[in-house]
Amino acid sequence: MAKKQAEVASEQTVEQKLMSLFQLQEADSKIDEIKRLRGELPLEVKDLEDELAGLETRIAKIQDEITQKEKDIVTKKEEIKDAQEQVKRYEEQQMDVRNNREFDAIAKEIEFQKLNIELFEKRIREYTRDVENRKEQLETANAKHADRKLDLDAKETELNTIINETKAEEDHLKAESENISRAIDERLLNAYSRLRKNARNGVAVATVERDACGGCFNKIPPQRQLDIKSHKKIIVCEYCGRILVDKELAFGENAIAE
């Protein structure tokens, strides 16, 4: 493919190369204009998708935390039940003690279990408040997720409408651009691509407008304008580096129709 492309390009005159470059610029500029119609919508859609993904992660995390705290509450309630049973057994044992030393030892065990019960009850209150707070956070996160989902649906609908309205034209222009590119030698095509990438408006091939470069609007000396009109060599703007073509070549009968 590259070899065939080089052969076709080598057979072209400079004038034909300039015409191909300008036609390529025309097709690519029209593609750029179609993309500009979409404005910031693609970025807005991406940002909303990222935000929703973040919210979904947060919602899942909150739900896990609630589940864990609820399990902790159940565990503490079981521990309270065990401690209460221990207290009951110790109190029964106190009825059968033989001396004060045994009575005091059992009393300490009862006191220890009652302190445990108070601690477990405190933890249950803390966990319960934590669960309530987490549920409030979950409700807020779910509400925000629902709002952002509505925003995303609206933005996607708007973007898809624009894409569908311009798809046929964009596909045609892309095919046109690829077809023209095949007639341009690789070195020149790479230079064109670099210029387009670095140019703010994506214009790599500019026409001479009122004795000035149509890209950067700097004046072009008369002799240089004559060289441009002669189509004998490829001339670039000495200020911005864009490839220059004259209007007669650009908007002649071979130019892409508007």
Side-chain angles (χ1 to χ4, degrees), residues 4 21 23 28 41-42 49 63 68 71 78 81 85 98 119 125 129 134 158 162 169 194 198 205 208 214 218 223 228:
K4 185 176 181 181
L21 285 169
Q23 289 178 330
D28 288 343
L41 280 173
E49 288 174 341
Q63 287 174 329
Q68 184 57 54
K71 288 180 179 178
E78 290 174 351
K81 185 178 178 182
E85 290 176 355
R98 291 170 292 182
L119 178 62
R125 289 193 295 271
R129 284 195 298 270
R134 291 287 189 273
E158 186 178 355
I162 294 173
E169 182 182 3
R194 284 196 302 273
N198 295 327
V205 182
V208 177
N218 280 295
Q223 182 56 50
I228 293 168

Side-chain angles (χ1 to χ4, degrees), residues 150-208:
L150 288 174
D151 291 342
L152 177 60
D153 290 344
K155 293 293 184 183
E156 284 183 330
T157 298
E158 186 178 355
L159 178 59
N160 288 335
T161 298
I162 294 173
I163 290 174
N164 290 335
E165 288 175 350
T166 58
K167 186 177 187 307
E169 182 182 3
E170 185 176 7
D171 289 346
H172 170 75
L173 288 168
K174 284 181 177 178
E176 185 76 29
S177 175
E178 291 173 4
N179 185 52
I180 296 169
S181 295
R182 284 194 287 270
I184 302 173
D185 72 69
E186 187 176 357
R187 181 186 59 81
L188 200 54
L189 191 60
N190 288 338
Y192 168 84
S193 298
R194 284 196 302 273
L195 285 168
R196 256 181 65 78
K197 183 179 179 180
N198 295 327
R200 181 178 57 82
N201 56 4
V203 174
V205 182
T207 57
V208 177

Side-chain angles (χ1 to χ4, degrees), residues 86-111 114:
Q86 289 274 27
V87 168
K88 185 178 179 181
R89 282 196 296 270
Y90 285 133
E91 286 175 342
E92 290 174 353
Q93 289 176 17
Q94 273 186 325
M95 303 298 292
D96 300 324
V97 296
R98 291 170 292 182
N99 53 56
N100 288 338
R101 190 176 65 179
E102 289 182 2
F103 183 90
D104 291 340
I106 293 174
K108 286 181 180 179
E109 290 294 337
I110 292 172
E111 182 181 2
K114 286 183 176 180

